[in-house]
Amino acid sequence: METLTIRRPDDWHVHLRDGAVLEGVLPYTARQFARAIIMPNLSPPMTDCAGVAAYRARIMAALPAGMDFTPLMTLYLTDGTDPDEVERGFAGGVFVAAKLYPAHATTGSAHGVTDVANIRAVLERMAAIGMPLLVHGEVTDAHVDIFDREAVFIERTLAPLVRDLPALKVVFEHVTTEEAVRFVTCAGPNVAATITPQHLHINRNAMLVGGIRPHMYCLPVAKREQHRLALRKAATSGSAKFFLGTDSAPHAVGAKEAACGCAGIFNAPFAIESYADVFEEEGALDKFEAFASLNGPAFYGLSVNEATVTLEKAPQPVPASIDANGTSIVPFHAGDTLGWRLRL
Ligand code: DOR
Ligand code: ZN
């Protein structure tokens, strides 16, 4: 049997939610990943040290006994974030990064930043202390087409920000376009990006051809095929600037299959298997460990995991739906069979 052994991977972008759903989804992430960057877009969002520390405690309480998993927490930036609070939490190990959601860009972003000028002092402090900024890179201007919102964000917001604050470490989260790949590739070493499994597997046709498919809808929305191909090239290139971030974002089936369905794809159950299929298809399994297990820790200044995991070339069926502690959620690849299986 063909096998692939790599250092245990980390997920550099995941939504775990809270309460019963947190308990239901956390084991899927912890099964595969040693660490994960936990998104702070709860309701209400995690905007201070006390809130983030309490959320971390709830995650640890929800972790099944015997599972080895470390949540890496993030702070949710608002127009009113205090630079001293940011420094206090980072220095004290409460959180490792802060997340910039442009206000109203996506799920749970209503309290986000209305103009990056409003958090200039926070960003300067973060640059000074070496704390990474994690960016949801889409403009929210109603006049900009939803498929163009990432590219326009680069022009209007991200490029000026990186130019003005070159010392700031920036992770351009869940990139979806060739423009984003080009921007990150050409930027200095302080700029990196995460890439999700769905943006490597699907283009916008998957969402819209033959009927509208709400379980293929996330933000940033999947783009044209040329963009998917650029993302696959970047992920499998071996460049240290690109690393694994699932953006697994669970929503109850009823919240997805609705007149106004929520954005978010729940890919946590078989994320590592999903990525492995992409790397095999691209003939780049030799680059898989860098993307999944080495590049992320290097960017964040953390050590790589000592443990290893082994993937086997064997069919991995994906169920049509998953019961997350009483909430039914449709996973990415529902009803399909993936080609790699994580050996447990
Ligand atoms: O599709 C998405 N879902 N994109 C995001 O940025 C947020 C996420 C969520 O929290 O559901
Ligand atoms: Zn996300």
Side-chain angles (χ1 to χ4, degrees):
M1 184 187 301
E2 213 182 317
T3 65
L4 178 65
T5 297
I6 59 171
R7 282 184 189 263
R8 195 155 177 238
D10 305 300
D11 182 353
W12 300 96
H13 184 131
V14 69
H15 300 266
L16 293 181
R17 313 304 191 205
D18 211 340
V21 170
L22 163 64
E23 268 183 51
V25 302
L26 176 59
Y28 293 108
T29 291
R31 174 181 79 90
Q32 302 159 66
F33 300 108
R35 298 170 289 196
I37 289 277
I38 313 301
M39 286 297 128
N41 63 331
L42 305 184
S43 182
M46 298 290 109
T47 55
D48 61 19
C49 293
V52 174
Y55 182 34
R56 186 183 200 281
R58 295 197 295 280
I59 293 170
M60 292 314 288
L63 188 66
M67 289 195 107
D68 177 16
F69 174 73
T70 302
L72 302 172
M73 308 306 292
T74 61
L75 180 73
Y76 183 113
L77 297 176
T78 71
D79 284 344
T81 300
D82 174 4
D84 292 336
E85 182 79 355
V86 174
E87 179 160 4
R88 198 163 36 245
F90 183 66
V94 178
F95 38 74
V96 304
K99 178 73 187 265
L100 167 59
Y101 285 107
H104 306 293
T106 185
T107 311
S109 66
H111 302 274
V113 173
T114 59
D115 184 335
V116 285
N118 296 335
I119 56 164
R120 181 65 185 214
V122 169
L123 300 179
E124 285 172 358
R125 186 73 65 87
M126 289 172 65
I129 63 179
M131 177 177 171
L133 176 73
L134 316 184
V135 180
H136 183 107
E138 289 190 284
V139 294
T140 55
D141 184 339
H143 302 293
V144 179
D145 188 281
I146 190 145
F147 292 100
D148 298 332
R149 288 182 176 197
E150 185 175 276
V152 173
F153 182 86
I154 298 170
E155 248 169 65
R156 289 191 190 167
T157 306
L158 195 54
L161 181 68
V162 166
R163 186 188 59 227
D164 295 352
L165 289 173
L168 181 64
K169 296 182 92 154
V170 176
V171 184
F172 194 173
E173 299 287 344
H174 42 56
V175 288
T176 65
T177 57
E178 61 184 356
E179 288 88 344
V181 166
R182 197 179 319 126
F183 177 78
V184 171
T185 303
C186 297
N190 284 336
V191 178
T194 54
I195 306 181
T196 76
Q198 58 266 23
H199 294 110
L200 296 170
H201 276 281
I202 63 168
N203 62 33
R204 61 195 195 175
N205 282 7
M207 192 174 51
L208 296 170
V209 172
I212 189 156
R213 298 176 196 276
H215 299 292
M216 300 295 189
Y217 173 59
C218 65
L219 287 171
V221 72
K223 309 294 192 299
R224 289 177 177 276
E225 178 66 357
Q226 80 201 55
H227 299 290
R228 186 182 76 99
L229 296 179
L231 295 167
R232 285 171 80 104
K233 200 168 162 207
T236 59
S237 67
S239 163
K241 286 173 157 278
F242 298 97
F243 42 85
L244 186 160
T246 64
D247 198 17
S248 180
H251 290 277
V253 64
K256 296 284 295 174
E257 297 176 9
C260 183
C262 293
I265 293 181
F266 178 49
N267 59 35
F270 300 102
I272 199 71
E273 296 87 346
S274 176
Y275 282 114
D277 274 9
V278 170
F279 277 71
E280 183 182 36
E281 286 159 14
E282 294 292 323
L285 284 172
D286 59 320
K287 306 287 193 338
F288 191 47
E289 185 179 40
F291 179 78
S293 316
L294 307 179
N295 298 347
F299 187 82
Y300 276 84
L302 299 170
S303 51
V304 297
N305 297 312
E306 283 307 321
T308 59
V309 296
T310 297
L311 287 141
E312 304 169 341
K313 184 99 183 84
Q316 173 62 70
V318 178
S321 92
I322 281 183
D323 171 46
N325 204 17
T327 299
S328 179
I329 307 176
V330 176
F332 188 44
H333 300 298
D336 293 348
T337 299
L338 297 169
W340 289 84
R341 191 165 67 193
L342 188 60
R343 187 187 281 171
L344 292 177

